[in-house]
Amino acid sequence: MDWGALHTILGGVNKHSTSIGKIWLTVLFIFRIMILVVAAERVWGDEQDDFVCNTLQPGCRNVCYDHFFPISHIRLWALQLIFVSTPALLVAMHVAYRRHEKKRQFRKGDQKCEFKDIEEIRKQRFRIEGSLWWTYTSSIFFRLIFEAVFMYAFYFMYDGFRMPRLMKCNAWPCPNTVDCFVSRPTEKTVFTIFMIAVSSICILLNVAELCYLLTKFFLRRSRKVGNSKQQPNHENKEETKQNEMNELISDSCQNTVIGFSS
Amino acid sequence: MSWAFLRDLLSGVNKYSTGIGRIWVAVVFMFRLLVYVAAAENIWKHEHDEFECNVKQPGCENVCFDHFFPVSHIRLWALQLIMVSTPSLLVVFHVAYRENRERHNQKLYKTPGKIDGGLLCTYLISLILKTGLEIVFLVLFYKLYNGFKIPHLVKCDIKPCPNTVDCYISKPTEKMIFLYFLVATSCLCIVLNLSELSYLIFKYSVKCYLKRHVKKQQ
């Protein structure tokens, strides 16, 4: 079980996503998960071993490391990626449920079912409308919330996105104040900024996808309303024409009557 | 043999589960297995090397580490994951048994994978076992480590340590965060199992009652 398994699970969702969704998934796997596994994990691999404090006092290093890094960057990113990928499972479950219903219909021999065999049902791509639209939109919404929460947690915990070279520690049992040096601070800063930048891109993609889906929804709605209004308007026009004609006829009748009487 | 084996096993179980069962499988995959492999395993990787005691006496660190961590958190976590996923195999075996019977005799079942009759009992037993094992492991964690807290410092006075010695645990805050995460996901899985249990019991008792009612009317 590893990131590859996540790729298999989310790959299935890709078929039913919008184009922006597909781009988001690609960015997630190439620029975030792959970078995390291939590069970032190596940079943070020796973080505690090479965290050196200017003291021989046993235990001081452990305590200072724990004080400055309550949860390591790399673990926070892993959690962020897991949480951000999870809403897509909602869509996968909804699609699986719909497929299951269609298979049931097909097995019952329902004439409404337009498929010829089960393979077609398995390969079918569902359009994002109806209840699937709501599931998809809420999954994007949750993704946005998770991304924002983790970015804020990151900023809050580490006072910005820079990794300092030197930290001053005076937690017990360190005697007085002690200088502690972080390993590879510049490389870590570079990767941190990179991951934050890609997170922001993902947030923008999610916002764009949300706007696209909402626009599509409102356009479809207005088209439906427009279609349903056209027919009564047409009828009203005919009615008014008929009314005018009736008035004309009655006027001319009256005129004729008046004309006769006079 | 690795976690991929467990993943394939659970994917097989997914076919014969109810909707809540599928949510349970998804929670186990995403929030427990994946978090374990991708994040938690690395935190506890060098726990023994990074366990430091304020003494130069050889053997003291080893003895103290062994005293305070009889079974490491991460090993208990792995055992819990394996034990909790295994009862689902009962269902897989039962369905395989049904299919085997059908192969030798004529068609006995409408669908061998449908949860009714004997398979329902097996499914309920697997749910009860899963819930029981989750609770056992949570209690074990609580009893072994005096709650779900990990202290910065432990005081050790076991031979050969001279007098009382301060020993410092590495990354206690990060370990505690992941421990709480483990407890939260365990509790979530317990809730899912209990709701699936009540849903199945309710569904089949209503079905039973309606069948009897129809029979009486006839």
Side-chain angles (χ1 to χ4, degrees), chain A residues 1-3 5-6 9 41 47-49 57-59 61-63 65-66 69-72 75 78-79 82-83 85-86 89 93 172-173, chain B residues 3-4 7 23 26 29-31 33-35 37-39 42-43 50 52-54 152-153 166 168-174 177-178 181:
Chain A
M1 182 69 198
D2 56 2
W3 297 110
L6 187 69
I9 297 171
E41 265 181 5
E47 57 178 326
Q48 190 163 343
D49 295 336
Q57 169 65 45
R61 198 177 64 134
N62 276 8
V63 161
Y65 181 84
D66 183 66
F69 301 108
I71 177 166
S72 168
R75 249 79 64 183
L79 277 179
I82 293 171
F83 273 89
S85 316
T86 312
L89 284 184
M93 282 190 218
W172 190 84
Chain B
W3 291 109
R7 178 198 66 195
I23 298 175
F29 273 172
M30 296 290 284
F31 293 112
L33 210 47
L34 191 56
V35 168
V37 170
N42 290 329
I43 303 176
E50 290 162 1
E52 210 175 353
C53 289
N54 188 2
H152 284 97
L153 157 73
D166 291 337
Y168 302 90
I169 297 169
S170 73
K171 309 192 209 186
T173 313
E174 201 166 5
I177 292 174
F178 276 87
F181 190 82

Side-chain angles (χ1 to χ4, degrees), chain B residues 108-155:
Chain B
L108 292 163
Y109 308 101
K110 232 190 263 179
T111 7
K114 190 160 184 275
I115 304 174
D116 56 13
L119 189 59
L120 173 66
C121 285
T122 312
Y123 200 86
L124 290 174
I125 291 170
S126 80
L127 282 174
I128 293 169
L129 276 175
K130 269 190 239 173
T131 315
L133 284 167
E134 292 269 19
I135 294 173
V136 159
F137 272 94
L138 282 178
V139 168
L140 200 63
F141 258 110
Y142 192 86
K143 283 271 150 88
L144 265 178
Y145 296 108
N146 286 335
F148 300 113
K149 278 188 242 152
I150 299 182
H152 284 97
L153 157 73
V154 286
K155 290 195 186 281

Side-chain angles (χ1 to χ4, degrees), chain A residues 250-262:
Chain A
S250 62
D251 280 344
S252 58
C253 281
Q254 272 188 339
N255 286 342
T256 339
V257 165
I258 292 166
F260 271 134
S261 58
S262 60

Side-chain angles (χ1 to χ4, degrees), chain B residues 47 88 141 163 208-209:
Chain B
E47 58 171 339
S88 310
F141 258 110
N163 309 306
C208 244
Y209 174 77

